[in-house]
Amino acid sequence: MGAGTFFSALLEKGKDLFSRLAEQAAARRRLVLIAAAGFLVIILLLLILAGVTFRKVRNAGTARNTEASAGLPEGPAFLPEDFFLPYEPDFVPDVLLEREPRNGWTEEDARPFWTDPLNGNEEVWRERIESGVDAILEHVP
């Protein structure tokens, strides 16, 4: 079997397949045409419906707007400043002190914050100190 025979057999099978498809297409052509016409009618009806609906909505909206806007002042209902935060700088400022920092405390400055631990509690502190010293000395060899 040579290449010529192979290609001629392949050509014959292709023609046979094409003729079968053409016969089936001719039989189904009516069905395809009816289905296509049905789809076109549906699309046309949807376009008409959308146009009528849009026109009704537009007319109703303008009628409502003219009736409702008769008693309202003109101008925007909301200002853009109501929706956006104010501008903030991109840097963080240094700490602003009310006065210059002090290098040290005087006795008058510290007096409201200082309480003497020995006033009235001398015996409690003496016992704590002695127990701490005893605990350290117990571990000395």
Side-chain angles (χ1 to χ4, degrees):
M1 181 166 163
T5 340
F6 174 75
F7 286 120
S8 63
L10 186 64
L11 186 63
E12 294 266 340
K13 288 182 182 181
K15 287 180 183 178
D16 187 38
L17 179 65
F18 183 72
S19 64
R20 285 186 204 164
L21 289 176
E23 288 173 9
Q24 289 179 358
R28 295 185 184 177
R29 184 181 297 178
R30 278 177 99 186
L31 183 62
V32 170
L33 288 176
I34 291 172
F39 282 126
L40 287 176
V41 168
I42 291 173
I43 290 173
L44 182 64
L45 289 175
L46 287 175
L47 287 175
I48 291 171
L49 179 66
V52 169
T53 305
F54 178 72
R55 196 172 294 149
K56 282 184 182 179
V57 168
R58 187 176 49 171
N59 290 341
T62 55
R64 276 192 221 129
N65 287 342
T66 54
E67 292 170 3
S69 64
L72 295 177
E74 292 192 20
F78 299 104
L79 298 175
E81 293 83 23
D82 294 338
F83 294 106
F84 297 104
L85 294 174
Y87 173 75
E88 293 185 13
D90 291 338
F91 64 92
V92 178
D94 294 334
V95 175
L96 303 174
L97 300 175
E98 295 178 12
R99 61 181 181 191
E100 292 296 320
R102 296 184 183 175
N103 292 333
W105 287 76
T106 63
E107 190 175 329
E108 292 83 27
D109 294 335
R111 191 175 314 269
F113 306 106
W114 173 256
T115 56
D116 189 6
L118 293 179
N119 282 344
N121 294 328
E122 291 177 24
E123 198 59 40
V124 173
W125 284 106
R126 186 170 307 281
E127 288 175 10
R128 287 185 70 185
I129 291 169
E130 287 176 359
S131 67
V133 170
D134 288 341
I136 291 173
L137 290 177
E138 285 177 0
H139 295 294
V140 175

